[in-house]
Amino acid sequence: MSDASRLRSTIFVGGLENSVNEKLLADAFLPFGEIVDVTIPKPELPSSTDQHRGFGYVEYEVAGDAKEAIDNMHQSEFFGRIIKVAAAKPQKDSNEGLGSKTAIWETEGWIAKHAVSEEDRQAALSTVNVKTPVDDPMQGLEEPDIAGPRPE
């Protein structure tokens, strides 16, 4: 199965109660179709006493089954909590977005999108060097000795 079709057939389930495990989650979503995999991420900190991070992923064999599960289970009650069920989003690269240790302008995507060709750079420099005469807005105000409008 390709990554794109895998993503379309995977759903995100958020708001899980601490006692929910992978078997319970699979049993709850089994009526909507054949399940390939159920994952509930564990806490990143080893000192954490939580069983999991409060969300999980259910991957179906067919993308239509995932849509059916989203339509039927979103905002439903599961173990005393209202759960959020949505299509899973692709996992971001650790070098992208918030939390990245790389400046945005150093990433390949940003460079490709905002890169300026040498020809454009030369054209921009040539227009900067051309000085156009600009009317001085302060011209004629050298000797303001009275306030108010000028007498005509």
Side-chain angles (χ1 to χ4, degrees):
M1 189 182 295
S2 72
D3 286 342
S5 63
R6 255 188 108 178
L7 189 61
R8 280 194 297 272
S9 62
T10 303
I11 60 172
F12 165 84
V13 183
L16 296 177
E17 209 271 327
N18 272 342
S19 63
V20 174
N21 59 27
E22 291 176 352
K23 179 166 178 12
L24 291 171
L25 190 60
D27 290 344
F29 284 86
L30 189 60
F32 304 105
E34 186 70 30
I35 294 176
V36 175
D37 186 32
V38 176
T39 306
I40 300 179
K42 304 289 183 214
E44 292 176 359
L45 297 175
S47 62
S48 177
T49 58
D50 295 333
Q51 297 294 322
H52 52 75
R53 295 169 59 190
F55 64 91
Y57 298 96
V58 178
E59 182 183 344
Y60 284 95
E61 186 73 36
V62 180
D65 295 341
K67 175 136 178 53
E68 192 72 25
I70 293 168
D71 293 342
N72 286 290
M73 294 295 283
H74 182 60
Q75 296 294 320
S76 65
E77 185 177 339
F78 186 60
F79 277 77
R81 287 199 170 168
I82 303 296
I83 58 173
K84 176 187 177 193
V85 182
K89 295 179 181 173
Q91 187 172 6
K92 286 195 172 190
D93 187 14
S94 63
N95 292 333
E96 279 183 30
L98 294 176
S100 171
K101 293 180 178 29
T102 307
I104 186 69
W105 52 87
E106 292 180 0
T107 60
E108 291 294 324
W110 191 91
I111 292 171
K113 182 177 178 183
H114 295 90
V116 177
S117 69
E118 191 59 36
E119 181 181 304
D120 291 341
R121 187 180 328 255
Q122 293 300 327
L125 288 175
S126 67
T127 60
V128 170
N129 293 337
V130 175
K131 296 196 178 206
T132 57
V134 178
D135 290 337
D136 184 8
M138 302 303 286
Q139 189 69 30
L141 300 177
E142 289 83 16
E143 301 176 28
D145 46 89
I146 59 168
R150 289 186 181 175
E152 301 277 335

